[in-house]
Amino acid sequence: MQQLVYYPCLVHETYWVVSYQRSGLRRQNFTQIAARTTDEGEARAAFDRLADEGLTPDLSRYDEVFFPRCGVCGERPYGASATRPELSWDAVLQAIYFEPAWAATSEQLVFCPHHRPENAEE
């Protein structure tokens, strides 16, 4: 049986992301996201604010983002943000990793326990 997909994870919408490098514990560096928005002006304002603080921000444009949600009913996993998209498929996989009975497919689709395909693996 083939599932109809009404809510794809991949969304063709431009998002602007402002990030900067930050030092963590044990002198490990990581990327901190300061803003994730569809408004370019808001992103540029966040960029300027970080630059004024002496940081070296990075402004990136993403024309495709991912929303972890069931392809049939649109339900989101407990750990996923309702409004914030993920920037990569790997981040979607991480968002549903600890969700019992949620499944992700190689076609970049996610299914909740109620709509999980019968042949999905654990």
Side-chain angles (χ1 to χ4, degrees), residues 13-82:
E13 183 174 14
T14 300
Y15 269 80
W16 296 89
V17 175
V18 179
S19 61
Y20 61 96
Q21 292 297 314
R22 187 172 169 189
S23 295
L25 298 175
R26 299 186 199 128
R27 298 182 188 176
Q28 295 175 347
N29 289 338
F30 63 94
T31 300
Q32 176 74 42
I33 294 179
R36 189 180 322 211
T37 178
T38 57
D39 183 356
E40 183 180 1
E42 185 180 327
R44 291 198 183 280
F47 180 92
D48 292 340
R49 193 170 44 253
L50 289 172
D52 290 345
E53 293 174 11
L55 299 169
T56 307
D58 183 40
L59 179 63
S60 303
R61 175 183 168 157
Y62 291 83
D63 290 325
E64 298 176 338
V65 294
F66 297 89
F67 282 95
R69 58 187 175 189
C70 177
V72 178
C73 67
E75 180 182 350
R76 294 184 186 275
Y78 177 75
S81 169

Side-chain angles (χ1 to χ4, degrees), residues 60-114:
S60 303
R61 175 183 168 157
Y62 291 83
D63 290 325
E64 298 176 338
V65 294
F66 297 89
F67 282 95
R69 58 187 175 189
C70 177
V72 178
C73 67
E75 180 182 350
R76 294 184 186 275
Y78 177 75
S81 169
T83 58
R84 186 195 70 187
E86 300 296 346
L87 303 176
S88 71
W89 180 244
D90 288 339
V92 171
L93 294 177
Q94 186 175 12
I96 68 165
Y97 182 77
F98 293 106
E99 298 290 337
W102 281 74
T105 69
S106 59
E107 293 86 20
Q108 295 183 334
L109 298 173
V110 172
F111 294 100
C112 71
H114 305 291

